[in-house]
Amino acid sequence: MSKLGEYRVLKALEGRGDVSKTDVLDDLLRNHEIAPPSISKEGGRRVMKRLTSEATIELHDGHESLKPRGARRGLGAELYVLGESKKGQQVLRHKSIETPHKAYRTLEGGLELANQQAILKADD
């Protein structure tokens, strides 16, 4: 906060109206080109717990919320399936492009099968 100054932060929060505190602070950081602080593992878990609750997702595996690792793997899988494995490597910070290829290669066959089954079902 020292780069922004406490006065500027308080002034922005004071006049925020219905905008969330997080959105105001995110805008301030973005406008002043300041990187936001890193999130801790525990912080990530709290966010996932809140999002799971807000989305009313029922988990049947005994866990009370989705896990950050699952979100990370889901993002990697989505990028890989969309043909964005290079972007996935960058976002997930893999050193080698082979890492996402090895991790998600099996998805291609499964998706092709799912697409074929959906087409066949639609024809019925």
Side-chain angles (χ1 to χ4, degrees):
M1 293 292 173
S2 61
K3 288 184 181 180
L4 286 174
E6 188 176 342
Y7 174 78
R8 188 177 291 162
V9 172
L10 292 174
K11 195 75 175 157
L13 289 173
E14 199 174 89
R16 69 184 163 127
D18 292 335
V19 180
S20 77
K21 184 176 171 181
T22 300
D23 288 342
V24 171
L25 294 175
D26 284 348
D27 285 344
L28 272 174
L29 293 172
R30 194 175 302 110
N31 291 339
H32 293 278
E33 298 180 357
I34 299 171
S38 298
I39 189 168
S40 67
K41 285 182 185 179
E42 189 54 40
R45 288 182 182 111
R46 282 193 305 269
V47 168
M48 293 300 287
K49 191 173 187 174
R50 180 178 51 81
L51 292 175
T52 302
S53 175
E54 288 174 4
T56 60
I57 297 171
E58 285 187 42
L59 302 175
H60 302 287
D61 59 1
H63 292 98
E64 52 185 71
S65 68
L66 297 172
K67 304 296 179 209
R69 174 143 174 82
R72 186 179 197 288
R73 293 213 23 99
L75 174 62
E78 182 78 14
L79 290 170
Y80 190 81
V81 167
L82 293 172
E84 299 284 351
S85 55
K86 182 72 174 167
K87 189 180 286 183
Q89 176 194 1
Q90 294 168 341
V91 170
L92 300 176
R93 298 181 182 161
H94 294 301
K95 290 181 182 176
S96 167
I97 191 68
E98 284 305 309
T99 305
H101 285 308
K102 287 178 187 173
Y104 305 113
R105 188 173 285 133
T106 57
L107 291 175
E108 289 177 328
L111 286 172
E112 287 174 22
L113 179 61
N115 287 337
Q116 289 171 357
Q117 289 173 343
I119 290 168
L120 291 173
K121 202 173 206 177
D123 289 342
D124 287 345

